[in-house]
Amino acid sequence: MKLLDLLNGVNYEVLNGNLDIDVSHIQYDSRKIGEGDIFVCLTGFEVDGHNYATKAIEAGAKVILCEKDINITNEDITVVLVREGRKALATMSANYYGHPAEKLKLIGVTGTNGKTTTVYLLKSMLEKAGKKVGLVGTIANYIGDLKVKSERTTPESLELQKLFKDMVDANCEYCVMEVSSHSLYLDRVYGCEFEVGIFTNLTRDHLDFHKSFENYYNAKFKLFERSKACVINIDDDYGYRIVRDIESIGNKEVKTYSIKDESDFKASEVMLKEGDIHFKVNGDNYNSVLPGEYNVYNALGAIGAMNLLDIDNEFVKKGLLDVVVPGRCERIGYKYDIPYDIIIDFAHTPDGLKNILETLKDYTKNRLIAVYGCGGDRDKVKRSELGRIGTELADLAVITSDNPREEDPMAIIKEILSGISKSNYIAIENRAEAIKLALNMAEEGDVVVLAGKGHENYQITNEGVIHFDEREVVDEILADKRKK
């Protein structure tokens, strides 16, 4: 592709060389450079791409795009200066792949909790309506039925545009996607226009990155600046603020949803049962296989979006009844000949843990046992909150390790314990041993919830990424028990 065409829409200055050249591919990782590529120097939080420009040239790069002068005078190398490298990367990626996002109807979901479940609900509803759907999310990416590995909740703009291109080539009409606060702040979705943006909630998370709730909120709000229509949970305090801030922009259709406050899509007569939920919205009956009040909220967000997109309510209802979300209130106990239940859930924030424990407590016949920890190298304040919430809601909390990263696992556990005022807990660093203890203690009618890992099949430690799948751990523990 001609460099001039690639730079269309980018504000730039040429520091060296000329623009009348062909570019093979775009790269922001110097290790992936091939002959004739453009290397985009991104200034990261740990690594500065400008330090790898020489390495990229040695590997065959013919164009360097930078945010500061890197003093390259080789006449065979073109050096282009931009003010915001990530926005330039997003614009060039869209140019390179032929603006695929413009050929898809994008539905974005942002919020602290509920993003994953909501996009799976959206995909299910749209597919019931006969639409071919792509999905971008935490657990995996999908191009129709084809599952593609996900490295992060929202990919970097280069990979995201490639994913959009693959969806278009596969004749997808819609793309439903989790839009993380990181991706909004780091301009991974810069230039993308969404048909509908959905807000789930805003609770404590990622403050290690954003530093303040105000920054966190401002990052989330970017989605609604880029959405034609918005669906907002106004039972969340930040939901009202989003509605007010959207109104100040103007020229957007806004729908609200709730269980408590008056809204466009208000759930009433909510009945929480062991395996599902029943509720009404504007006089119409709905039933979802996903249990818990928080899943009523997830359903409402999806219902509101489908209404804006004129998807028939028949397909919305069918989608609610036929959806599986891996690692989200995933029941695995039924597979074993045991008198208690085992649930795997991704809950790793105070609000997420509260939601899953309150939901499970409603139908636990005997004791609720919670196994959980807290990630390392992340916001430390929530650790004590997790300790308090787990011991207040569960009959027994087994505090353990969960992606400690570079931190000492026991130091993290001690910070979790600092929020506990009760005595109904046990602390065990080794997560497999913690699960084993919980299962050995489980009695008839108990529910054991393994919280924090969800779909993850790994632990991140100071030794790197180690394979750890809780389903396999449970299989092994129960197989050993049967042998005895």
Side-chain angles (χ1 to χ4, degrees):
M1 187 175 193
K2 288 291 185 183
L3 179 56
L4 267 172
D5 295 332
L6 196 64
L7 291 171
N8 185 37
V10 178
N11 291 321
Y12 62 87
E13 177 186 349
V14 180
L15 299 182
N16 192 67
N18 68 84
L19 301 179
D20 189 23
I21 56 174
D22 290 309
V23 171
S24 300
H25 205 279
I26 307 168
Q27 300 291 356
Y28 59 88
D29 184 341
S30 62
R31 295 167 295 184
K32 297 180 179 179
I33 289 289
E35 188 64 34
D37 287 350
I38 179 172
F39 177 60
V40 181
C41 302
L42 297 180
T43 304
F45 295 94
E46 297 179 0
V47 177
D48 187 346
H50 296 81
N51 296 332
Y52 296 88
T54 301
K55 181 181 177 182
I57 292 169
E58 291 171 353
K62 296 301 180 187
V63 182
I64 302 295
L65 186 138
C66 53
E67 296 175 316
K68 54 190 176 186
D69 191 352
I70 50 178
N71 193 29
I72 293 173
T73 57
N74 185 333
E75 63 182 19
D76 294 330
I77 304 299
T78 298
V79 180
V80 178
L81 178 70
V82 298
R83 289 187 61 187
E84 297 176 284
R86 292 184 182 276
K87 287 183 178 179
L89 175 63
T91 301
M92 291 191 299
S93 298
N95 290 338
Y96 185 85
Y97 287 109
H99 299 277
E102 296 177 2
K103 302 164 190 172
L104 294 164
K105 294 176 182 176
L106 301 182
I107 307 173
V109 184
T110 199
T112 307
N113 299 308
K115 296 188 296 296
T116 299
T117 297
T118 303
V119 295
Y120 273 79
L121 285 169
L122 292 165
K123 188 172 190 289
S124 178
M125 293 170 180
L126 289 167
E127 288 177 340
K128 294 301 179 188
K131 311 296 184 182
K132 190 164 185 180
V133 185
L135 182 150
V136 180
T138 304
I139 298 174
N141 301 319
Y142 284 86
I143 302 169
D145 293 329
L146 176 64
K147 184 177 181 180
V148 181
K149 185 178 178 181
S150 173
E151 298 294 340
R152 51 166 68 107
T153 300
T154 313
E156 187 56 78
S157 58
L158 179 62
E159 287 77 21
L160 182 62
Q161 294 294 333
K162 171 64 164 60
L163 194 54
F164 287 158
K165 173 69 161 54
D166 292 342
M167 290 176 186
V168 170
D169 289 347
N171 297 314
C172 290
E173 182 180 352
Y174 286 86
C175 172
V176 298
M177 62 184 295
E178 298 181 51
V179 188
S180 68
S181 58
H182 289 71
S183 72
L184 289 159
Y185 179 81
L186 296 172
D187 291 313
R188 293 175 191 159
V189 292
Y190 178 77
C192 296
E193 185 177 47
F194 293 82
E195 294 294 318
V196 182
I198 301 173
F199 171 73
T200 60
N201 49 65
L202 195 67
T203 63
R204 188 176 191 96
D205 202 15
H206 303 307
L207 296 194
D208 56 301
F209 178 84
H210 293 291
K211 307 305 179 187
S212 71
F213 249 109
E214 188 67 16
N215 292 342
Y216 190 26
Y217 171 85
N218 289 335
K220 293 288 189 188
F221 186 74
K222 287 177 181 287
L223 173 63
F224 307 104
E225 294 175 317
R226 299 166 186 174
S227 299
K228 297 178 183 176
C230 309
V231 181
I232 311 298
N233 172 17
I234 57 168
D235 278 348
D236 186 281
D237 290 341
Y238 283 95
Y240 274 109
R241 180 176 172 184
I242 287 175
V243 171
R244 291 196 302 270
D245 288 349
I246 291 171
E247 288 174 350
S248 69
I249 298 173
N251 197 33
K252 291 182 187 293
E253 186 170 8
V254 179
K255 297 291 184 181
T256 57
Y257 68 94
S258 64
I259 296 176
K260 301 168 186 173
D261 291 351
E262 289 303 315
S263 64
D264 297 305
F265 298 95
K266 181 180 179 181
S268 61
E269 299 180 36
V270 178
M271 296 176 61
L272 309 177
K273 298 188 177 181
E274 181 173 339
D276 56 7
I277 48 176
H278 298 258
F279 57 98
K280 286 187 175 181
V281 179
N282 300 335
D284 213 346
N285 292 311
Y286 292 85
N287 180 15
S288 172
V289 294
L290 301 176
E293 183 180 84
Y294 65 101
N295 275 318
V296 176
Y297 283 106
N298 295 332
L300 288 170
I303 290 168
M306 294 299 98
N307 177 272
L308 285 167
L309 294 166
D310 293 323
I311 300 298
D312 194 286
N313 218 27
E314 170 194 357
F315 306 120
V316 173
K317 292 181 178 182
K318 287 181 178 179
L320 283 170
L321 287 170
D322 186 22
V323 63
V324 177
V325 188
R328 279 21 179 213
C329 203
E330 182 181 347
R331 304 180 71 173
I332 65 170
Y334 71 90
K335 298 188 294 183
Y336 309 98
D337 184 20
I338 54 176
Y340 55 88
D341 204 356
I342 306 170
I343 307 287
I344 291 177
D345 194 87
F346 190 53
H348 60 285
T349 66
D351 189 60
L353 186 64
K354 180 175 181 286
N355 285 337
I356 187 64
L357 294 182
E358 286 182 340
T359 295
L360 297 177
K361 202 166 184 65
D362 282 342
Y363 66 80
T364 298
K365 297 181 176 67
N366 192 23
R367 300 177 304 165
L368 177 59
I369 301 173
V371 180
Y372 67 96
C374 189
D377 298 335
R378 298 292 186 271
D379 177 19
K380 293 185 177 183
V381 175
K382 70 180 181 182
R383 294 174 184 175
S384 60
E385 292 183 50
L386 286 165
R388 177 185 61 80
I389 290 168
T391 51
E392 285 183 355
L393 293 175
D395 297 290
L396 173 64
V398 183
I399 311 299
T400 187
S401 185
D402 182 353
N403 293 338
R405 298 181 175 86
E406 294 298 323
E407 287 193 66
D408 175 8
M410 280 309 301
I412 298 172
I413 289 172
K414 286 177 182 177
E415 291 188 16
I416 297 172
L417 299 183
S418 71
I420 298 175
S421 59
K422 301 178 72 175
S423 59
N424 60 330
Y425 71 90
I426 300 170
I428 300 179
E429 178 182 340
N430 185 293
R431 193 173 180 99
E433 289 299 318
I435 294 170
K436 183 176 181 179
L437 174 72
L439 298 186
N440 285 338
M441 295 181 69
E443 301 170 352
E444 184 173 349
D446 286 352
V447 173
V448 179
V449 57
L450 312 179
K453 303 299 293 176
H455 62 281
E456 293 180 353
N457 60 0
Y458 55 82
Q459 278 274 53
I460 307 174
T461 73
N462 58 9
E463 297 177 3
V465 179
I466 298 170
H467 180 76
F468 187 90
D469 189 322
E470 290 188 324
R471 296 154 194 80
E472 295 173 7
V473 172
V474 170
D475 278 339
E476 186 176 332
I477 292 168
L478 295 182
D480 287 344
K481 287 185 71 173
R482 286 192 292 269
K483 291 176 184 176
K484 296 177 181 178

